[in-house]
Amino acid sequence: MCQLLGMNCNTPTDICFSFAGFQRRGGATDVHADGWGIAFFEGCGARLFLDPQPSCKSPVAELVRNYPIHSKNVIAHIRKATHGRVALENTHPFMRELWGRYWIFAHNGALPENLAPPTEASATHDEATESGFQPVGTTDSEAAFCWILRQLRQRFGATPPARDDLFSTLQALTLELGARGEFNYLLSNGDWLFAHCSTKLAFVVRKAPFDVAHLADEDLSVDFSELTTAADRVAVIATTPLTDNEQWTTMPAGSLWLFEEGEPVAQAATVAAPPRTTPLPGCTDTCTP
Amino acid sequence: MCQLLGMNCNTPTDICFSFAGFQRRGGATDVHADGWGIAFFEGCGARLFLDPQPSCKSPVAELVRNYPIHSKNVIAHIRKATHGRVALENTHPFMRELWGRYWIFAHNGALPENLAPPTEASATHDEATESGFQPVGTTDSEAAFCWILRQLRQRFGATPPARDDLFSTLQALTLELGARGEFNYLLSNGDWLFAHCSTKLAFVVRKAPFDVAHLADEDLSVDFSELTTAADRVAVIATTPLTDNEQWTTMPAGSLWLFEEGEPVAQAATVAAPPRTTPLPGCTDTCTP
C-alpha cells in the first residue's frame, strides 16, 4: 500500500513542514520505498516532481523539503508497489489535461487488474475518446484516473461542469470504482481538492489562532503563529495523521470530501446503502422496497 | 525569443555537461530569464522540471545540473517571454498524453495570437476533440502543440501511426504552422525526437572516438572518452552550439529532422517550394505547373 498527502489552502502556502514528516515514511519510518512524487498547483500551472527512488534518500525530495514552493493545492504520494513495477511511469501523482486545466491524481489501495467498468464496456465506440486518457504505465491507479477522466469527458463534452455537478458525478464514479477494491484517492484541478476515503484518510484544518505543531515521524516542530496571518486557512489531508499534538479528523470509510479555500465544503457517501433485511410494515417476509 | 536544447541517445545518458552551459544562458551569459524547464524520458515515463525563475538562479536548475538523470530523450528550454506572462503555466516544455504515451514539446519563435489554421476552422464540431488538448496557459507555443496533437488524433484516431507516417504528417502540419510565423521546435514521445529549424537550430553527434568538449558559455570541459563506451552515440541539438571545439551542423531554415538512437535518420523540407518564375518549355509566359 501507499500513503497520501494533500494540502488545500485559501492562500498559497508551502508544504515543507508536512512534507518533512511524510518524506520520512518513504523508507525511513515506514516501508513505502518504491518511489514518491509531489505536485504543486501554482495558479493554473502545475509542477510535478517524481522519483522512483525512496523519498527518504531522494535528492529531489531534499530539494522539495528545502525549497518553499507556495501553492493552494498540493498532492503527494509515497509508494509501496502492488500493481506495476517500480518505474517512473508508475510513480504517482499522475497528470493529465482536461478542459484546459491540469488534473492531478494519486491513489492508495488496490483495484482489479482489468479495470473495465460496465458503463464503459457498453459505451459506443469513440475513437477520439480511446486515443486520449490512456495509461502510460501499468498501475491500477493510473488506469482508474484515466477512466474517471474519460467518463467526465463523455458526460460533460466540451463544457466543464460547475463544482457541485462535478462533485456529484465524482461521487457516482467513485461509488462504481470503490465497489471493486480499495480506492483512497486525492484529485485536484487547482481549484478544488477531492479526497476519497475508502478505508483510511484523515485531515486537520489549521486556522487562527495558530499554534505549535509537532511531527509524529521526526522530532521537528513549527510555530505556525509566526508564519501565518489571521486570515490563513490550511487543510492537510493524510493517510494517517502527520502530527502528534493536533486534532485530526478521521474520515469515515466510504466518504468523498471536497476541500476549497482550506476547508471541507461538501461530503458525500460512496458506499451503497446496505440491503435491508428487516421486515417492512405490512410484509410477512423480508421486502425489497 | 527563447533557446532550445535537446538530446537523443542510443543509451541512457545524463545531460549535466550540456545543461551546465545552457543554464548559464538563462540570465547569466544571455537574456533568457523568464523561466526554464527540462523534461527527461525514462522508458515511457517522463519527468518534467519547471521553474518560472531564471535558470542561472534556480535551485531546481542546480539540482538538474548536479543530479545525473539518465535518459534517451531530453528537451529543455529557457524563456524570453513574448506571448504570455511569466508564469508556471507558460513555462516550456509542455506535456500531454496521446495514445498512452507522453509527448513533450518546446518552442522558440513567435506565432500569431489567434492560432486557428484553416484545416481546423473548417473541421466538423467534435466535442471530445474540443475537451482535450486545450492550452492551460496563454502562449502561442502551447496553442501550437495542442493544435498538432488534435490534428494527429483527428488523422489517426485511436491507432498510433508508424514512425514514417508520423514524420510525414508532422512535416505537413509544420509546413502549415511554419508559414504563419517563426516555429523552431523540439518534440518527443520518448522513442523519437523531432527537431524543426524554422530559423535557427544546430546539432552535433558525439560518437567514438570520443574526445574532450569545451563549453562556450562557461570554462568547463569534459573528456567523453572517460565516460562512454565505443557503442554510445549521442545527438545534442541546440539553438546555437554549446561547445566551441566541436563540429556542429547548422540545420537549414525550413527543415524538419527526426533523431533516433543518437543520430538523424530523416530530414524533410518545411518550406513551400518558391513559385516558379521561369517559363516552362512550350509556355509563352510564366506557367504554374
Side-chain angles (χ1 to χ4, degrees), chain B residues 41-128:
Chain B
F41 279 98
E42 290 167 79
C44 54
R47 287 203 234 210
L48 187 55
F49 295 91
L50 300 172
D51 208 342
Q53 290 192 46
S55 61
C56 70
K57 295 186 202 164
S58 156
V60 187
E62 275 306 301
L63 172 85
V64 168
R65 182 175 167 158
N66 295 309
Y67 179 38
I69 295 174
H70 292 86
S71 172
K72 287 179 70 177
N73 284 285
V74 178
I75 291 178
H77 183 270
I78 46 178
R79 182 165 184 240
K80 175 83 181 71
T82 50
H83 288 14
R85 68 191 181 98
V86 177
L88 184 60
E89 68 269 21
N90 291 335
T91 305
H92 307 221
F94 302 101
M95 184 170 85
R96 294 289 189 277
E97 173 266 313
L98 172 64
W99 298 312
R101 294 296 295 267
Y102 293 120
W103 295 74
I104 302 281
F105 176 87
H107 167 224
N108 158 25
L111 293 170
E113 289 223 4
N114 184 8
L115 193 74
T119 51
E120 190 166 62
S122 60
T124 51
H125 182 77
D126 176 347
E127 289 221 327

Side-chain angles (χ1 to χ4, degrees), chain A residues 10-150:
Chain A
N10 67 349
T11 188
T13 305
D14 79 69
I15 199 169
C16 295
F17 173 72
S18 296
F19 185 73
F22 189 68
Q23 178 197 10
R24 300 265 305 155
R25 296 181 181 177
T29 58
D30 211 333
V31 295
H32 312 91
D34 297 331
W36 71 281
I38 188 166
F40 299 86
F41 278 99
E42 291 168 78
C44 54
R47 285 203 238 211
L48 187 54
F49 295 91
L50 300 172
D51 208 344
Q53 291 194 45
S55 61
C56 72
K57 294 187 203 164
S58 157
V60 187
E62 275 306 301
L63 172 85
V64 168
R65 183 176 166 157
N66 296 309
Y67 178 39
I69 295 176
H70 292 85
S71 173
K72 288 179 71 177
N73 284 285
V74 179
I75 291 178
H77 182 272
I78 47 179
R79 182 164 185 240
K80 176 83 181 70
T82 51
H83 288 13
R85 67 190 181 100
V86 178
L88 183 61
E89 68 268 22
N90 291 337
T91 306
H92 308 220
F94 302 101
M95 183 170 86
R96 293 290 189 278
E97 172 266 314
L98 173 62
W99 299 310
R101 295 296 295 267
Y102 293 120
W103 295 74
I104 301 281
F105 177 86
H107 167 224
N108 158 25
L111 293 170
E113 289 224 3
N114 184 8
L115 192 74
T119 51
E120 189 166 60
S122 60
T124 51
H125 182 76
D126 176 347
E127 289 222 328
T129 298
E130 284 181 14
S131 64
F133 303 135
Q134 294 296 330
V136 173
T138 53
T139 62
D140 53 340
S141 311
E142 191 190 10
F145 177 39
C146 289
W147 179 79
I148 288 176
L149 294 178
R150 288 197 301 273

Side-chain angles (χ1 to χ4, degrees), chain A residues 89-273:
Chain A
E89 68 268 22
N90 291 337
T91 306
H92 308 220
F94 302 101
M95 183 170 86
R96 293 290 189 278
E97 172 266 314
L98 173 62
W99 299 310
R101 295 296 295 267
Y102 293 120
W103 295 74
I104 301 281
F105 177 86
H107 167 224
N108 158 25
L111 293 170
E113 289 224 3
N114 184 8
L115 192 74
T119 51
E120 189 166 60
S122 60
T124 51
H125 182 76
D126 176 347
E127 289 222 328
T129 298
E130 284 181 14
S131 64
F133 303 135
Q134 294 296 330
V136 173
T138 53
T139 62
D140 53 340
S141 311
E142 191 190 10
F145 177 39
C146 289
W147 179 79
I148 288 176
L149 294 178
R150 288 197 301 273
Q151 296 299 314
L152 291 177
R153 184 164 66 180
Q154 254 180 21
R155 290 188 192 203
F156 297 106
T159 310
R163 188 194 76 169
D164 293 349
D165 291 341
L166 177 60
F167 186 70
S168 58
T169 303
L170 278 176
Q171 181 194 7
L173 297 174
T174 304
L175 187 64
E176 194 165 338
L177 276 189
R180 303 164 66 91
E182 194 177 349
F183 192 46
N184 303 289
Y185 73 75
L186 299 176
L187 170 71
S188 179
N189 70 345
D191 285 335
W192 309 305
L193 193 149
F194 302 91
H196 181 241
C197 176
S198 167
T199 53
K200 206 170 191 183
L201 210 53
F203 72 92
V204 65
V205 173
R206 297 186 182 128
K207 58 186 177 183
F210 288 96
D211 207 343
V212 174
H214 180 264
L215 287 183
D217 293 76
E218 186 168 345
D219 188 14
L220 183 66
S221 293
V222 66
D223 186 349
F224 286 116
S225 68
E226 293 174 358
L227 305 169
T228 49
T229 70
D232 291 359
R233 196 170 49 225
V234 177
V236 177
I237 304 118
T239 300
T240 60
L242 287 166
T243 55
D244 51 20
N245 65 338
E246 292 181 298
Q247 192 63 45
W248 288 71
T249 302
T250 302
M251 297 180 182
S255 61
L256 179 70
W257 297 66
L258 165 57
F259 290 84
E260 186 178 18
E261 301 291 325
E263 62 183 353
V265 295
Q267 184 192 347
T270 56
V271 277

Side-chain angles (χ1 to χ4, degrees), chain B residues 139-167:
Chain B
T139 61
D140 52 340
S141 312
E142 191 190 10
F145 177 40
C146 289
W147 179 80
I148 288 175
L149 294 179
R150 289 196 301 273
Q151 297 297 317
L152 291 177
R153 184 164 66 182
Q154 254 180 23
R155 291 186 192 205
F156 297 106
T159 310
R163 187 194 76 169
D164 294 348
D165 290 341
L166 178 60
F167 185 70

